[in-house]
Amino acid sequence: MKLLKITSCAKREALIELIKDSDRVNDRVKFDENKGRPKMHVKEKGDRLRIKCEMVGGPTKDNGFLEGTYFVGKLTEKDGVSSLRGIILTAPIYHTILALILVIYVIRCISLSAFNPVPLILLAFSLFLFKSEFEKQGIIERYLKRAVRKAEGETEK
């Protein structure tokens, strides 16, 4: 989970238009070709934005297990300043269930005065399993910051 707050002097409409065009934002940016190139799927409803990241062109298909990694937030404009605020989440359904399992594990360890390594192994495995999904949080954050910089550069021209 990553909180994000970006402000810009660019117009809201120009910013939305640029965020929706991932090819233009990712122009001249190098990515690891083994993992693929990020493609952003943007859904806009009023001031609300939902951006989902998918890696395209890699050797394996990116399935975005249980909702994948996405940004949910608001893009507002007030007094000529656009503000993008939101949160980047990775597989929230899975991680909620995992957190509940770990809480039950701690309670059972205390009540039984015993230790079982299986839940800890499950936690380590899940971190290994979701490594590429967690990397997408940084990709989405850099994508949004790059879009804001490009929109500001276009408004100065």
Side-chain angles (χ1 to χ4, degrees):
M1 178 171 71
K2 212 177 230 192
L3 296 173
L4 196 62
K5 180 182 176 185
I6 304 172
T7 56
S8 171
C9 60
K11 296 279 186 199
R12 181 188 181 285
E13 292 78 26
L15 202 51
I16 282 285
E17 181 184 321
L18 196 59
I19 288 173
K20 286 183 177 180
D21 189 3
S22 62
D23 291 332
R24 204 163 102 197
V25 174
N26 289 333
D27 186 36
R28 292 183 289 173
V29 177
K30 292 185 180 183
F31 294 100
D32 185 5
E33 295 301 321
N34 293 329
K35 295 180 181 178
R37 190 168 181 83
K39 173 78 175 155
M40 302 298 167
H41 302 282
V42 181
K43 292 181 184 176
E44 176 191 7
K45 189 175 185 182
D47 286 347
R48 301 218 177 260
L49 272 178
R50 181 177 170 103
I51 303 170
K52 187 169 190 229
C53 180
E54 178 187 11
M55 299 303 271
V56 178
T60 60
K61 182 168 178 1
D62 181 14
N63 63 359
F65 181 70
L66 287 177
E67 290 287 321
T69 301
Y70 59 91
F71 169 82
V72 177
K74 271 185 158 181
L75 178 60
T76 57
E77 185 175 4
K78 185 176 181 181
D79 298 329
V81 176
S82 297
S83 178
L84 180 65
R85 297 173 192 217
I87 187 168
I88 302 173
L89 297 169
T90 299
I93 297 168
Y94 174 78
H95 287 98
T96 302
I97 293 168
L98 186 65
L100 288 173
I101 289 172
L102 288 176
V103 167
I104 292 169
Y105 165 71
V106 169
I107 292 170
R108 294 286 294 170
C109 282
I110 292 170
S111 68
L112 297 175
S113 298
F115 175 75
N116 186 349
V118 173
L120 297 178
I121 293 170
L122 174 67
L123 177 65
F125 177 73
S126 70
L127 292 176
F128 175 73
L129 178 71
F130 282 97
K131 183 177 184 261
S132 64
E133 282 296 321
F134 284 118
E135 289 172 353
K136 287 182 187 178
Q137 288 183 357
I139 291 172
I140 292 174
E141 181 181 15
R142 289 189 303 274
Y143 174 83
L144 290 171
K145 288 180 178 178
R146 207 169 27 250
V148 167
R149 279 195 315 270
K150 285 192 179 199
E152 287 175 347
E154 290 177 5
T155 57
E156 290 175 1
K157 290 180 182 178

